[in-house]
Amino acid sequence: MWRVLSTNGRLVISDFSKIAEYNQILNSVSNRVEIKKFFYTFPFSKAVVVQKI
């Protein structure tokens, strides 16, 4: 996904169990990594939002 993402593009991955793994991998390729929490889903989920610079 990262390879085909255009410059200034955003990658959003929503999951409820592997967020730490995604965060670790994506921190190595970008310095703009955010984790968003969603409390209106069941089970509660999180999303990793990364911007390609």
Side-chain angles (χ1 to χ4, degrees):
M1 292 180 278
W2 188 257
R3 184 180 59 83
V4 297
L5 190 66
S6 64
T7 304
N8 291 325
R10 289 187 183 175
L11 172 64
V12 179
I13 302 173
S14 178
D15 198 346
F16 58 89
S17 64
K18 304 261 185 206
I19 292 296
E21 292 177 35
Y22 298 136
N23 188 26
Q24 181 182 9
I25 293 167
L26 294 171
N27 268 322
S28 67
V29 295
S30 177
N31 61 352
R32 293 189 180 186
V33 178
E34 298 177 54
I35 297 178
K36 308 271 186 176
K37 297 178 182 179
F38 301 106
F39 297 111
Y40 49 83
T41 61
F42 185 79
F44 299 138
S45 64
K46 296 179 183 177
V48 177
V49 181
V50 184
Q51 184 172 2
K52 187 173 187 178
I53 311 171

